[in-house]
Amino acid sequence: MTKTDDIIERLAGDLKPVPRDMLRRRFALGIVPALGLSLLLMLAILGPRIDMPDVLMLPVFWIKSAYNALIAVVALLAVHRLSRPDGSEGRFFDVLALIFAAMAAVAAIQLIMAPTESYPVLILGSSALHCPLLILGFALPVYGGAVWALRQAAPTDLRLTGFVAGIAAGAAGAWVYSWFCTENGMPFVLIWYSLGILLTGALGAVTGPRLLRW
């Protein structure tokens, strides 16, 4: 027993306490530059909107932006909790369902108030086929930043952590894309933006067990 105690003491003797906010700083270092890179990619590939001053006056633009930003923030908070060995997702899925339901209500109101002949534009727009893929593309840098931060942590449910990290990255990519996207249909945002976010979440669920292994 004495030898065992000596071994434990020698192993633990050089350990230093980890700063309380180290993990938070790690996430900031991983996510913020990655989000900036996504913005630069958007500007380089798609370019800025020439009608941005007018767009900023439209409530639908800010609703679209808020939908993605809220999902990203809620998912990042859940990822931070999941990054600890004893962590869990908390009420993430409940809050996510509330955000989705609120957006569905807004989409339904817009459809009710619009003439039926405008439904194809409000639902499909002109970019339904490539919108989810562009969101996935703009989300990849953010997902990479989240993986980098998580590899310095100790998550235990790697598939769930990867999925939630993918949702966070997908929502961040959707927020970036929303600054270029010309679609003003809330049903479009509900369906096709959510699909892009879900695709990134699926990518995280598939790659999480391999990339986050420790």
Side-chain angles (χ1 to χ4, degrees):
M1 182 64 68
T2 303
K3 290 184 178 180
T4 302
D5 292 341
D6 291 341
I7 292 173
I8 293 174
E9 184 176 352
R10 285 199 297 270
L11 289 174
D14 295 331
L15 293 179
K16 297 179 180 179
V18 177
R20 186 180 298 273
D21 62 342
M22 187 196 74
L23 189 57
R24 191 179 299 113
R25 293 203 307 265
R26 182 75 63 174
F27 271 100
L29 287 172
I31 299 298
V32 175
L35 186 61
L37 177 59
S38 292
L39 285 167
L40 288 176
L41 286 174
M42 186 270 291
L43 291 173
I45 296 172
L46 302 176
R49 292 183 60 163
I50 60 175
D51 60 343
M52 184 57 72
D54 296 328
V55 170
L56 293 177
M57 304 299 293
L58 299 176
V60 289
F61 171 82
W62 292 109
I63 293 173
K64 176 170 57 175
S65 179
Y67 175 64
N68 301 303
L70 281 173
I71 294 176
V73 169
V74 169
L76 280 173
L77 291 174
V79 170
H80 187 269
R81 289 192 296 270
L82 284 164
S83 65
R84 303 177 184 277
D86 59 345
S88 70
E89 75 277 12
R91 299 181 61 85
F92 166 69
F93 289 105
D94 294 335
V95 177
L96 186 64
L98 285 175
I99 296 172
F100 185 84
M103 190 63 189
V106 172
I109 291 171
Q110 189 180 41
L111 285 174
I112 291 171
M113 296 180 64
T116 55
E117 57 268 23
S118 67
Y119 282 12
V121 174
L122 292 176
I123 296 172
L124 297 174
S126 60
S127 58
L129 292 179
H130 59 259
C131 169
L133 296 179
L134 284 171
I135 287 174
L136 175 61
F138 292 132
L140 290 178
V142 182
Y143 180 61
V147 168
W148 177 82
L150 286 166
R151 287 184 64 85
Q152 313 301 315
T156 51
D157 193 334
L158 303 185
R159 192 172 300 280
L160 177 60
T161 304
F163 175 74
V164 179
I167 292 294
W175 179 82
V176 168
Y177 178 65
S178 71
W179 288 85
F180 166 84
C181 177
T182 58
E183 307 290 354
N184 292 321
M186 296 298 96
F188 179 96
V189 174
L190 180 71
I191 297 170
W192 304 106
Y193 272 58
S194 300
L195 179 58
I197 294 171
L198 189 59
L199 283 174
T200 317
L203 175 67
V206 171
T207 60
R210 179 181 296 272
L211 296 178
L212 303 180
R213 186 180 304 155
W214 52 284

